[in-house]
Structure formats: C-alpha cells, structure tokens
Amino acid sequence: MSQLSGLLRIGRKIDEDLMEEIEEILIQADVGVDTTLMLMDNVRERVKAEGLSDSSELESVIKSEILKLLGEDMPLQVKAEKPYTILVLGVNGAGKTTTIGKLANRFITDGHRVLVAAGDTFRAAAEDQLAIWCERAGAELIRGGESAEPASVVFDAIHAAKHRNADVLIVDTAGRLHTKKPLMDELAKIGRVMERAHAGAPHEVLLVVDGTVGQNGLMQAKTFNGAVPITGVAVTKLDGTAKGGIVIAVNAEIGAPVKLIGIGEKLDDLRDFAGADFVEALFAAEETADT
C-alpha cells in the first residue's frame, strides 16, 4: 500500500492506465481480485461524478471507499447473555490459542469470570498450550483429555460455566487443514451442540486469520463460514510482514467484520479494530518508510 501512496501523490492525470496500476497494487497488497474490482468500480464512479482529474485527488476517494467496504466498527463485547459464548475457529498456526488467551485476559481485566473449553482434542500439545495461556490470563480451563469427543467437551463446558456462574465461555476448536471435510463437519456439530445446551449459543463465532498468509486467509474464511456462520474476525500478526489487504477482503467478501487485531505476543497485544485508524495507517506507510 505504500506504493499506492507514492503513486497518487505525484500529480498524475487520472486515466485508465493509472486505474489499472492502482488495481495491480491493491491485488499485490492482498485485497484480492474481486474486492479490488468492486472497490475500483466505486472509485471510477466517484471520479466521473465529481469530475476529478488529478491523482492527488484520488487518495481521499479511495480511503472513503475502503471505509465503506469495512463498514461500521463492531468491537467484540460481552452482551447480556450469561454465559456469553464465543466459538473460536482457525487453522493451526493462525494464532488461535494466543488470541484466546488475550481475550480471556481482556474479559478478566474487565471483571468477568471466564472459562475456556479445550475443544481441540486432536492435537496432543493443544491442551497444554491452552493451559499455559489460561494460567497467564487467570482463566479456568475445562478439558476432556486427548481423543475426547470435542462436542462432548464443549457440552460439559457450557454446563460447567452455568454451574460456576461464569460470565464468558471461550471455546477452542481444532485447526487442522481447513480443506478437510471431517473437521468442518465437527465444527458444525459443535455449533449445534452449543445451541441445544444454551439458548442463542454460540453468541459469537470468531475466526482467527493470520494476516501474513494473504488470500489463503480469505479461502479459510469462506470455508469456515460454510460450516458455522462467522460473526467476526480477528486478524493476527499485523505487527510483522502482513500487507493488510486481507482485512478489507474478508469483510467485503464474507460479510463478517474484523473486530480484533493482534499486534504482538503479550497478553494485552490485542486491539479493537478501528477502520478509520486502519485506513490511515495503510496510507501512512510511505511516509513511515521515508522517515
């Protein structure tokens, strides 16, 4: 996106060659082909309607059109339901376990009692890793042991959360290859079990996406969304080599808002997503690089 900032600020005439260069940069920045075409169609309409002719006038137009695609900010908040249940999805390596730990820490800091369900019973180290993060955050962990039936663990966790008067229950899930149909079937089953065990559950279905994987993240989002409808997305590793465009693409193409971003490994390195700040940061990249 820093290339885009530089391109727009040199004062070129707005023509189709410039528009195609902008499209190429957006695609390279992981915005994706479909979202880029949608965005640029809107930009072209604005250029025509407003009679714009100089590239320096395009930056504000592109920013505002990106903001329209992102929609309103929708931070993840604990609602009135008790326990408020959050089903967390994502492939292995996306940062799912660390995000759960950070979420638990945030809610506990706000005064909520938090339980975490170890629903990933397929991977031997999954429960141990989750236990470490729960201990750091001060959350209670409900575990069924390796090879336990995930939906059964989640069912027990919901009843434990009710019995212990917990405010929030965060459910971890397996993250094997998202192309594996048995995993998707298992996730759909967990969703059904949660709904039967607690009215309205899961109240939030949060997909964790690695911000550095580009369009693979969008493919994951579409596949998971087919198993359990996603209500929000957490994009991790935005402090590293992530290009950022995936944030725009996920919201535009599956209709689930980005609610959280991960920017580090510390317990408090989880931020509410703010669309206006995100867009400004994208276009400030060139200035930062120059500095």
Side-chain angles (χ1 to χ4, degrees):
M1 293 296 285
S2 63
Q3 298 177 55
L4 182 57
S5 301
L7 179 64
L8 297 178
R9 294 171 186 173
I10 60 175
R12 279 181 54 178
K13 177 185 176 182
I14 297 177
D15 56 20
E16 192 55 30
D17 287 341
L18 176 63
M19 292 299 194
E20 289 180 2
E21 286 184 55
I22 294 171
E23 288 178 348
E24 184 178 344
I25 291 171
L26 290 170
I27 292 170
Q28 290 174 350
D30 291 336
V31 175
V33 175
D34 291 341
T35 305
T36 294
L37 294 178
M38 184 192 313
L39 173 64
M40 291 306 296
D41 282 347
N42 295 339
V43 170
R44 285 183 174 90
E45 289 180 8
R46 290 274 303 274
V47 167
K48 183 177 180 180
E50 298 173 25
L52 306 181
S53 60
D54 190 278
S55 64
S56 61
E57 301 172 291
L58 279 179
E59 182 170 324
S60 62
V61 173
I62 294 174
K63 283 181 178 180
S64 65
E65 292 302 325
I66 290 175
L67 278 173
K68 288 179 184 177
L69 291 179
L70 292 175
E72 294 183 14
D73 294 340
M74 298 180 63
L76 195 157
Q77 298 176 331
V78 175
K79 306 289 176 57
E81 297 89 347
K82 193 174 181 179
Y84 190 73
T85 57
I86 304 171
L87 180 62
V88 184
L89 314 177
V91 300
N92 293 335
K96 185 157 50 73
T97 304
T98 57
T99 299
I100 290 172
K102 293 172 184 177
L103 264 182
N105 177 71
R106 165 186 283 204
F107 293 139
I108 290 170
T109 300
D110 289 342
H112 299 295
R113 185 174 185 180
V114 179
L115 265 64
V116 176
D120 183 359
T121 62
F122 296 100
R123 193 162 54 94
E127 285 191 7
D128 294 336
Q129 292 171 352
L130 193 60
I132 291 171
W133 278 96
C134 285
E135 183 177 356
R136 291 176 64 186
E140 303 169 63
L141 179 63
I142 306 297
R143 55 201 302 174
E146 188 180 350
S147 77
E149 213 275 322
S152 176
V153 174
V154 174
F155 182 83
D156 291 343
I158 289 177
H159 283 277
K162 290 180 177 180
H163 181 72
R164 300 179 193 183
N165 200 32
D167 299 297
V168 181
L169 172 65
I170 305 174
V171 178
D172 186 22
T173 57
R176 296 167 299 165
L177 290 176
H178 66 282
T179 52
K180 298 292 185 181
K181 187 176 184 296
L183 173 60
M184 296 300 123
D185 291 342
E186 184 63 49
L187 294 176
K189 181 179 179 181
I190 289 173
R192 293 192 299 271
V193 167
M194 292 179 71
E195 186 176 10
R196 286 198 296 267
H198 184 39
H203 302 107
E204 182 81 44
V205 180
L206 185 70
L207 175 69
V208 180
V209 175
D210 181 344
T212 67
V213 300
Q215 288 301 291
N216 282 335
L218 181 59
M219 292 171 58
Q220 293 166 18
K222 290 179 177 178
T223 304
F224 279 110
N225 194 48
V228 186
I230 297 165
T231 59
V233 179
V235 182
T236 63
K237 307 178 187 179
L238 285 181
D239 55 321
T241 58
K243 299 175 184 177
I246 185 64
V247 171
I248 305 168
V250 165
N251 201 335
E253 296 197 29
I254 69 168
V258 175
K259 296 188 175 184
L260 298 163
I261 57 172
I263 56 169
E265 290 296 319
K266 297 178 182 178
L267 272 174
D268 58 355
D269 285 339
L270 188 69
R271 301 284 186 273
D272 289 327
F273 178 74
D277 292 345
F278 172 76
V279 172
E280 289 302 322
L282 284 179
F283 282 83
E286 176 74 13
E287 296 172 1
T288 303
D290 291 343
T291 301

